[in-house]
């Protein structure tokens, strides 16, 4: 029984650790992008080969989303996220030892294995630790760290590479996550009721504010393939694919685009490439908070609110298709900032949706399924972009293609997605009624 007096704010300490995990996640996956111009020259890599190396991360990352989500729901987010951060931090450090295409490809695959658990785990934590009225706020908050991580990574890593070299930089960056793991195991508890320093008032605020309570150890996650019978799951997957295809341009090919097509020097590129990500970080938190206010004050239904913010975000993201048609560097950067901010407005709703629709104890599985399909955009996007650049000699048609996919995303959320509501729990059988062989 919890005996701490007063109205604590432990859930926001947890949110801080969730935010840091995603920031570290994106810093680690962005190192290669920032170092790409050096790697292309030093290791004699063609644009096509670099495209495959960048995409390799998404192959393992995408394929392991569902297993990582299942593991987090079944054994707890404390183990799921803690082990994952330790794994990917080590993989990042070792990447500094790469000698060519094969070793870079293998280590990039290893990085994806570890990072696969980050988002499914965070979605599950948000459903357990926060009332429904704060779901989009905390979702926008932890996902905004991806933009901060990318934004900090660009100028920081460019500076570190100039000061040291890219090999030492990988080692230093990779060590940061191990410090996070130590803090995680001391601070996090699986459920609010199990935390030693939380008050009764905060537990009541969290649990009384949840339409559906997650964390019952006697209920198994719904099998992922059964989720595919639901229309909203398909809409979530398809829509997020179109968002991620565009979004990942900013952490894969953007530095090369600014250097090769816009003629920026390496140091200036490091600063400019951070701007779209910083804008997106701020806009995403605001979008999540605003959408929660709209729902909480009953200005619109949950369904209408999610569709409205998704549509607004994707309309903004269309600006990526106009960026290459201006000779003004200022206008190019402005359009890219609007486009990236649009993807983050949409993302604040995307990461709230698993908590909105998932059966009990299945939020991480739903998030993992959604992220599996969405990251196919990351898996094929860098390859398609590299191929278009190699064929045409510029990024123009690659960015236009991204904009066309965004249009598909808008239509998907408006017409394929139905009412946003929880999926029935009927198929979630208590664990004591299920044999180990059926897990």
């Amino acid at each position: 029984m919890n005996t701490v007096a007063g109205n604590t704010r432990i859930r926001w300490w947890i949110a801080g650790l969730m935010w840091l995990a995603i920031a570290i996640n994106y810093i680690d996956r962005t190192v290669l992008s920032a170092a790409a111009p050096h790697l292309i020259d030093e290791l004699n890599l063609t644009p096509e080969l670099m495209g495959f190396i960048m995409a390799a991360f998404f192959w393992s990352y995408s394929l392991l989303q569902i297993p990582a989500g299942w593991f987090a729901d079944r054994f707890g987010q404390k183990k799921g996220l803690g082990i994952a951060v330790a794994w990917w931090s080590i993989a990042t450090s070792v990447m500094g030892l790469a000698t060519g295409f094969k070793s870079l490809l293998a280590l990039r695959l290893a990085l994806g294995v570890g990072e696969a658990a980050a988002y499914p785990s965070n979605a599950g934590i948000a459903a357990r630790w926060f009332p429904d009225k704060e779901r989009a706020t905390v979702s926008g908050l932890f996902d905004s760290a991806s933009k901060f991580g990318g934004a900090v990574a660009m100028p920081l890593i460019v500076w570190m590479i100039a000061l040291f070299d890219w090999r030492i930089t990988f080692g230093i960056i990779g060590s940061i996550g191990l410090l996070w793991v130590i803090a995680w195991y001391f601070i996090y508890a699986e459920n609010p009721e199990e935390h030693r320093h939380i008050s009764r008032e905060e537990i009541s605020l969290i649990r009384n504010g949840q339409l559906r309570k997650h964390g019952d150890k006697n209920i198994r996650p719904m099998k992922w393939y059964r989720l595919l019978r639901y229309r909203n799951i398909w809409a979530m997957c398809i829509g997020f694919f179109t968002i991620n295809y565009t979004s990942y341009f900013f952490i894969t090919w953007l530095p090369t685009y600014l250097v090769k097509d816009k003629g920026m020097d390496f140091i200036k590129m490091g600063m400019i490439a951070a701007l779209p990500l910083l804008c997106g970080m701020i806009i995403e938190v605001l979008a999540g908070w605003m959408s929660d206010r709209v729902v909480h004050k009953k200005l619109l239904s949950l369904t209408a609110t999610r569709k409205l913010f998704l549509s607004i975000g994707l309309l903004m993201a269309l600006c990526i298709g106009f960026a290459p048609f201006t000779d003004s560097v200022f206008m190019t950067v402005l359009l890219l900032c609007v486009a990236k901010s649009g993807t983050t407005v949409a993302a604040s709703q995307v990461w709230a949706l698993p908590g909105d629709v998932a059966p009990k104890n299945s939020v991480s599985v739903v998030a993992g399924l959604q992220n599996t399909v969405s990251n196919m955009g990351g898996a094929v996007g860098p390859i398609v972009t590299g191929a278009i650049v190699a064929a045409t000699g510029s990024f123009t048609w690659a960015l236009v293609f991204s904009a066309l996919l965004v249009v598909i995303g808008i239509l998907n959320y408006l017409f394929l997605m139905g009412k946003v509501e929880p999926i029935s729990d009927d198929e979630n059988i208590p664990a004591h009624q299920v044999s180990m062989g059926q897990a």
Side-chain angles (χ1 to χ4, degrees), residues 1-10 195-203:
M1 180 66 68
N2 190 282
T3 58
V4 175
N7 188 11
T8 53
R9 296 287 187 274
I10 297 298
H195 202 284
R196 292 178 296 174
H197 302 295
I198 196 171
S199 67
R200 289 190 181 94
E201 289 84 355
E202 186 171 9
I203 293 173

Side-chain angles (χ1 to χ4, degrees), residues 30 67 74 91 107 126 146 158 170 181 199 222 233 255 278 300-301 305 334 336 381 416:
T30 305
R74 182 68 184 87
L107 289 168
S146 65
V158 166
F170 273 109
V181 173
S199 67
M222 182 181 286
I233 297 296
L278 288 173
L300 292 172
S301 68
T305 301
L334 177 61
L336 291 174
L416 180 59

Side-chain angles (χ1 to χ4, degrees), residues 88-382:
W88 88 56
S89 298
I90 294 170
T92 300
S93 296
V94 176
M95 204 169 294
L97 303 177
T99 57
F101 172 73
K102 291 181 180 179
S103 55
L104 276 174
L105 189 71
L107 289 168
R108 193 72 170 167
L109 286 168
L111 182 69
V113 171
E115 294 204 358
Y119 273 92
S121 293
N122 267 6
I125 294 164
R128 290 191 185 199
W129 269 90
F130 292 84
D132 295 347
K133 68 180 182 180
E134 296 173 348
R135 180 171 294 143
T137 301
V138 73
S139 297
L141 178 65
F142 77 68
D143 188 52
S144 73
S146 65
K147 291 74 189 176
F148 176 83
V152 167
M154 288 301 175
L156 174 64
I157 295 168
V158 166
W159 173 78
M160 289 179 66
I161 291 172
L163 184 63
F164 306 111
D165 66 18
W166 62 270
R167 296 184 185 278
I168 295 175
T169 299
F170 273 109
I172 295 173
I173 295 297
S175 66
I176 298 173
L178 299 178
L179 298 176
W180 180 94
V181 173
I182 297 171
W184 179 246
Y185 276 96
F186 277 105
I187 295 174
Y188 183 71
E190 293 294 357
N191 294 296
E193 297 86 352
E194 300 170 17
H195 202 284
R196 292 178 296 174
H197 302 295
I198 196 171
S199 67
R200 289 190 181 94
E201 289 84 355
E202 186 171 9
I203 293 173
S204 177
L205 184 151
I206 294 169
R207 291 309 194 186
N208 291 340
Q210 294 175 337
L211 176 64
R212 175 160 297 192
K213 297 175 177 61
H214 301 273
D216 185 346
K217 296 179 181 178
N218 291 320
I219 297 179
R220 294 285 181 92
M222 182 181 286
K223 293 179 175 61
W224 69 270
Y225 54 84
R226 294 191 180 276
L227 292 165
L228 295 175
R229 297 182 303 171
Y230 297 93
R231 169 181 168 182
N232 279 354
I233 297 296
W234 281 96
M236 289 162 61
C237 292
I238 294 170
F240 201 15
F241 173 92
T242 65
I243 295 168
N244 263 2
Y245 185 98
T246 296
S247 186
Y248 277 121
F249 170 80
F250 291 89
I251 62 167
T252 55
W253 281 109
L254 179 59
T256 306
Y257 170 63
L258 294 176
V259 171
K260 302 295 185 181
D261 270 28
K262 295 302 176 180
M264 292 185 185
D265 63 66
F266 191 66
I267 299 298
K268 184 178 180 181
M269 174 277 293
M271 301 301 296
I272 296 299
L275 290 178
L277 300 173
L278 288 173
C279 291
M281 177 186 70
I282 297 169
I283 295 297
E284 182 167 10
V285 177
L286 289 174
W289 178 83
M290 288 175 62
S291 66
D292 274 340
R293 295 304 92 200
V294 170
V295 174
H296 183 58
K297 293 181 180 295
K298 299 182 179 179
L299 300 177
L300 292 172
S301 68
L302 178 62
T303 300
T305 301
R306 294 285 183 255
K307 289 192 174 190
L308 175 63
F309 278 79
L310 285 164
S311 298
I312 290 173
L314 289 173
L315 285 171
M316 294 169 61
L318 283 174
C319 288
I320 194 170
F322 298 100
F325 294 103
T326 174
D327 294 328
S328 167
V329 174
F330 172 81
M331 283 303 300
T332 297
V333 174
L334 177 61
L335 289 167
L336 291 174
C337 286
V338 173
K340 182 58 183 175
S341 295
T343 66
T344 66
V345 171
S348 70
Q349 309 305 298
V350 161
W351 286 112
L353 283 170
D356 293 334
V357 308
K360 286 183 180 178
N361 282 15
S362 300
V363 177
S364 290
V365 172
V366 171
L369 176 57
Q370 175 184 241
N371 218 23
T372 296
V373 178
S374 74
N375 276 283
M376 295 301 175
V380 303

Side-chain angles (χ1 to χ4, degrees), residues 43-65:
L43 301 181
N44 297 317
L45 300 172
T46 65
E48 292 89 345
L49 289 178
M50 182 54 70
F52 274 101
I53 292 169
M54 289 179 176
F57 165 87
F58 298 104
W59 301 339
S60 55
Y61 182 76
S62 299
L63 291 175
L64 289 174
Q65 289 290 311

